[in-house]
């Protein structure tokens, strides 16, 4: 059974940093992976993604502040978030593997496996 376990969320002041982690169990990261976020009443949006070749993609709103990375040895995905803003407040979800089994969905909500979410709150 595949399980993605996200962690690292918390409450910080604006300008602060957090690093989210997503450990995979029953699954080896080998395909496309991504981080998404969602606030109440809004659709889940793609924040960052990384494909099997290490190519990354970022939402415009986080470009230059967030960095996605992976540690294949630890089978863990990361999201380093710097210069956090109140508008970054959301539940953050990790995701893995294209649901279609073909092209990497990058920032599109088309992944097969999802983590349970970790809350990030940024105070002004």
């Amino acid at each position: 059974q595949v399980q993605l376990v996200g962690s690292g969320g918390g409450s910080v002041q604006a300008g602060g940093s957090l690093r989210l982690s997503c450990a995979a169990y029953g699954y080896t990261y080998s395909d496309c992976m991504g981080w998404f976020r969602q606030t109440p009443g809004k659709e889940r949006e793609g924040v960052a993604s990384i494909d099997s070749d290490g190519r990354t993609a970022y939402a415009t709103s986080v470009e230059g502040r967030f960095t996605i990375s992976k540690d294949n040895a630890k089978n863990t995905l990361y999201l380093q978030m710097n210069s956090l803003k109140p508008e970054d407040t959301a539940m953050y979800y990790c995701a893995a593997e294209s649901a279609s089994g073909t092209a990497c969905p990058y920032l599109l909500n088309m992944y097969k496996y999802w983590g349970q979410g970790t809350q990030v709150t940024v105070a002004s």
Side-chain angles (χ1 to χ4, degrees):
Q1 182 179 358
V2 175
Q3 194 175 13
L4 303 182
V5 181
S7 62
S11 297
V12 296
Q13 294 291 317
S17 298
L18 284 172
R19 188 176 82 154
L20 305 183
S21 300
C22 182
Y25 300 93
Y27 175 80
T28 300
Y29 283 131
S30 60
D31 194 53
C32 201
M33 295 164 278
W35 287 97
F36 288 72
R37 65 186 181 188
Q38 188 172 24
T39 54
K42 292 189 175 182
E43 291 193 3
R44 192 172 296 186
E45 65 167 343
V47 175
S49 66
I50 184 168
D51 67 16
S52 57
D53 293 323
R55 287 186 292 255
T56 58
Y58 295 93
T60 304
S61 59
V62 307
E63 187 99 49
R65 299 188 297 122
F66 290 12
T67 302
I68 188 171
S69 63
K70 58 181 177 176
D71 185 328
N72 291 331
K74 296 182 178 180
N75 214 27
T76 301
L77 180 71
Y78 301 100
L79 183 68
Q80 178 67 44
M81 305 186 294
N82 298 328
S83 302
L84 283 162
K85 303 176 181 180
E87 51 264 43
D88 294 320
T89 295
M91 184 71 77
Y92 284 71
Y93 299 88
C94 55
E97 194 167 318
S98 168
S100 68
T102 55
C104 177
Y106 290 103
L107 301 180
L108 297 178
N109 190 353
M110 297 172 65
Y111 285 81
K112 183 175 182 179
Y113 302 117
W114 291 87
Q116 85 285 5
T118 183
Q119 177 68 36
V120 171
T121 302
V122 184
S124 57

